[in-house]
């Protein structure tokens, strides 16, 4: 097995169990390794620290599989790790009965580059690193064993694969496409999941608990849902008794599916819903000049800052939409605002919303700090795992 030898003084992240080895920390590779091969990781003084997957094309040159330098990385390793991840969710009473669930959450479940989302008896895997890609067969088999699922779709077409020099791979890795379109029930609301062409693995599971919060807050309110995708927040707001829900997204296919979702839930009132295909920035300005006001504004934009390098421009975009959102609120109105950008930390996001509050001329209080759902655990030694952060704010 080849070996990564670290530069002197660069072993601290690893001894603190951070699973990424950056190129700048690598002194040399001893021996030969192809992308995704397992390599030993040694401190400059030769002390073994970990076993990792080799990613020669990425700035993250190695991703740690295990901090036990003796542990063998083989099919059984993936079986153990996947089973442990699935079991972790089974032991959370809050997740019982959920039909859509993240089963494996990458680094935070000890499996860098591996995502697995379960939608009833269908699981979607997404492999984003050279190491995960190499072990595709073992991972698919491990998911099947741990879940007993009927079919597995491989949705390995995420943009981040490019950074690893990997081509997109998609297709049924186990079983075949189901006869009927796939859907899940989330807190009593049925939602379609398009695993082949939808965003991510078909659905934003990370917002599940925040959608439930929306439902609890929506009664009697005028709701504006910006970046609505297939209407997850919108339908929960309706289920919670919202007076009216206006939803905006720039994607026509997403809005079509949102309307299908509404039609699949005949108990929800469809006479107080409006879908609008538009750019959120422009549409919020238009709403303001038309004098429209709302009691609850939801802002769940796409990743404006995939990495630190984009943070500054992204900060401006976050600030703009939050100013616009706050200005559209009736007195006492609520703003539920999110950022899923890895490049923007929680404190930074709060600062951005604070600046937006000043610009909007409103006095704003935090009612709650929001994060991803429980099935997206954050490993304490890997703060990058906390990508989704949000604030529920109340404006005077
Ligand atoms: N809240 C959703 C997920 C939102 S994902 C849920 O719970 O399911 C972000 C959405 O923003 C995508 O649907 C994308 O089409 C949309 N989007 C991106 N940029 C936009 C823009 N400038 N204006 C309107 N929508 C945009």
């Amino acid at each position: 097995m080849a070996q990564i030898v670290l530069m002197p003084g660069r072993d601290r992240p690893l001894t603190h169990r951070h699973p990424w080895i950056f190129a700048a920390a690598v002194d040399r590779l001893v021996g030969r390794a192809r992308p995704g091969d397992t390599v030993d990781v040694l401190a400059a003084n030769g002390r073994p620290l970990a076993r990792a997957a080799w990613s020669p094309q990425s700035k993250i040159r190695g991703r740690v599989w295990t901090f036990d330098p003796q542990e063998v990385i083989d099919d059984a390793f993936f079986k153990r790790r996947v089973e442990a991840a699935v079991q972790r969710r089974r032991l959370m009473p809050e997740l019982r009965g959920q039909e859509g669930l993240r089963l494996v959450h990458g680094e935070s479940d000890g499996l860098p580059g591996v995502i697995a989302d379960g939608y009833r008896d269908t699981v979607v895997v997404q492999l984003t690193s050279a190491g995960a890609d190499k072990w595709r067969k073992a991972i698919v088999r491990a998911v099947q064993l741990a879940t007993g699922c009927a079919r597995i779709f491989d949705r390995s077409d995420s943009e981040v694969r490019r950074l690893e020099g990997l081509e997109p791979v998609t297709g049924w890795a186990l079983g075949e496409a189901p006869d009927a379109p796939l859907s899940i029930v989330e807190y009593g609301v049925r939602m379609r999941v398009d695993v082949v062409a939808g965003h991510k693995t078909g659905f934003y599971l990370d917002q599940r608990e925040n959608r439930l919060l929306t439902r609890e807050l929506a009664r009697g309110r005028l709701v504006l849902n910006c970046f609505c995708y297939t209407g997850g927040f919108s339908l929960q707001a309706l289920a919670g008794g919202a007076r009216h829900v206006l939803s905006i997204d720039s994607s026509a296919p997403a809005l079509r599916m949102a309307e299908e979702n509404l039609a699949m839930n005949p108990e929800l009132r469809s006479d107080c819903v409006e879908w609008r295909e538009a750019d959120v920035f422009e549409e919020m300005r238009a709403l303001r000049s038309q004098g429209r006001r709302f009691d609850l504004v939801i802002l769940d934009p796409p990743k404006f800052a995939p990495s630190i390098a984009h943070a500054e421009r992204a900060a401006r975009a976050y600030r703009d939409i939050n100013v616009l959102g706050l200005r559209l609120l009736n007195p006492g109105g609520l703003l539920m605002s999110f950022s899923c950008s890895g490049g923007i930390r929680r404190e930074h996001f709060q600062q951005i919303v604070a600046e937006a509050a000043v610009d909007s001329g409103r006095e704003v209080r935090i009612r709650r700090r929001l994060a991803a759902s429980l099935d997206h655990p954050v490993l304490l030694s890997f703060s990058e795992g906390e990508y989704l952060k949000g604030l529920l704010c109340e404006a005077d």
Side-chain angles (χ1 to χ4, degrees):
M1 196 183 297
Q3 299 171 326
I4 296 177
V5 183
L6 300 183
M7 306 278 277
R10 297 303 289 261
D11 49 345
R12 200 184 132 91
L14 269 99
T15 55
H16 286 69
R17 300 181 82 91
H18 189 280
W20 288 353
I21 302 160
F22 285 98
V26 176
D27 181 32
R28 60 190 188 276
L29 179 77
V30 180
R32 288 165 63 94
R34 280 166 306 163
D37 280 356
T38 305
V39 294
D40 279 321
V41 185
L42 309 181
N45 65 8
R47 189 165 71 93
L49 298 171
R51 282 193 163 146
W54 176 240
S55 287
Q57 304 231 31
S58 169
K59 265 199 256 175
I60 304 171
R61 222 28 80 83
R63 291 166 194 263
V64 172
W65 290 128
T66 175
F67 290 100
D68 172 0
Q70 312 293 323
E71 191 172 6
V72 177
I73 308 306
D74 56 5
D75 289 14
F77 167 84
F78 289 97
K79 208 173 138 219
R80 286 195 302 277
R81 287 277 166 106
V82 171
E83 175 60 33
V86 171
Q87 185 62 11
R88 207 164 283 138
R89 276 88 177 153
R90 286 200 187 113
L91 293 174
M92 296 181 187
E94 301 92 333
L95 296 180
R96 221 157 277 157
Q98 288 298 342
E99 292 190 343
L101 213 55
R102 173 146 298 188
L103 301 167
V104 179
H105 188 44
E107 281 78 354
S108 291
D109 281 305
L111 289 166
V114 182
I115 296 295
D117 288 342
Y119 302 107
R120 303 205 344 236
D121 57 357
T122 300
V123 177
V124 183
V125 296
Q126 187 161 75
L127 310 175
T128 58
S129 65
D133 200 70
K134 180 127 198 160
W135 288 98
R136 167 174 282 108
K137 259 198 180 146
I139 292 164
V140 166
R141 178 92 186 113
V143 166
Q144 183 194 6
L145 283 172
T147 63
C149 64
R151 59 189 77 80
I152 299 178
F153 190 73
D154 189 347
R155 192 60 206 278
S156 298
D157 60 354
S158 159
E159 275 294 311
V160 296
R161 281 174 65 94
R162 275 173 210 264
L163 305 175
E164 300 265 336
L166 298 168
E167 295 294 321
V169 175
T170 57
W172 291 94
L174 174 79
E176 298 166 7
D179 299 333
L182 185 62
S183 69
I184 57 167
V185 173
E186 183 182 81
Y187 305 120
V189 172
R190 185 168 289 283
M191 298 290 295
R192 280 271 321 268
V193 180
D194 183 353
V195 302
V196 177
H199 292 185
K200 304 229 272 188
T201 64
F203 198 65
Y204 288 85
L205 290 169
D206 52 358
Q207 288 286 25
R208 181 193 319 109
E209 289 160 21
N210 299 318
R211 287 190 287 261
L212 177 62
L213 177 61
T214 299
R215 176 195 189 120
E216 289 162 358
L217 294 170
R219 180 153 303 279
R221 290 189 190 258
L222 302 175
V223 178
L224 173 65
N225 181 15
C226 298
F227 310 98
C228 68
Y229 187 48
T230 59
F233 280 94
S234 313
L235 268 56
Q236 289 297 346
L238 279 177
R243 187 139 56 97
H244 185 268
V245 184
L246 171 58
S247 309
I248 308 171
D249 202 284
S250 54
S251 157
L255 289 171
R256 262 201 305 280
M257 199 181 282
E259 299 208 45
E260 273 179 51
N261 284 334
L262 182 61
M264 278 199 306
N265 293 273
E267 71 291 353
L268 298 181
R269 291 186 48 188
S270 52
D271 56 335
C272 49
V273 187
E274 233 180 298
W275 307 103
R276 231 171 248 183
E277 183 186 335
D279 173 69
V280 162
F281 293 81
E282 289 171 16
E283 190 60 25
M284 282 209 287
R285 285 196 183 91
L287 289 167
R288 162 122 177 126
S289 56
Q290 291 154 18
R292 288 277 295 262
R293 294 294 179 270
F294 302 86
D295 308 308
L296 171 60
V297 171
I298 300 155
L299 301 174
D300 184 22
K303 231 186 270 167
F304 290 149
S307 76
I308 304 276
H310 309 79
E312 204 175 311
R313 224 182 59 205
R316 234 169 331 189
Y318 284 117
R319 183 164 157 166
D320 287 350
I321 53 169
N322 280 279
V323 174
L324 291 164
L326 286 165
R327 286 194 171 141
L328 285 171
L329 282 178
N330 281 320
L334 298 173
L335 175 75
M336 196 186 276
S337 180
F338 297 98
S339 162
C340 60
S341 293
I344 296 210
R345 294 298 167 102
R346 184 174 286 278
E347 305 71 42
H348 188 191
F349 180 61
Q350 182 170 323
Q351 187 200 329
I352 292 167
V353 179
E355 284 163 11
V358 171
D359 288 359
S360 71
R362 308 286 294 261
E363 191 162 83
V364 181
R365 289 179 178 76
I366 296 177
R367 282 238 315 225
R368 246 199 233 214
R369 294 184 164 77
L370 307 172
S373 310
L374 271 181
D375 47 344
H376 297 59
V378 180
L379 188 68
L380 263 181
S381 57
F382 181 67
S383 58
E384 291 86 345
E386 197 183 358
Y387 65 99
L388 180 65
K389 51 259 152 201
L391 290 173
L392 174 65
C393 293
E394 187 174 330
D396 63 353

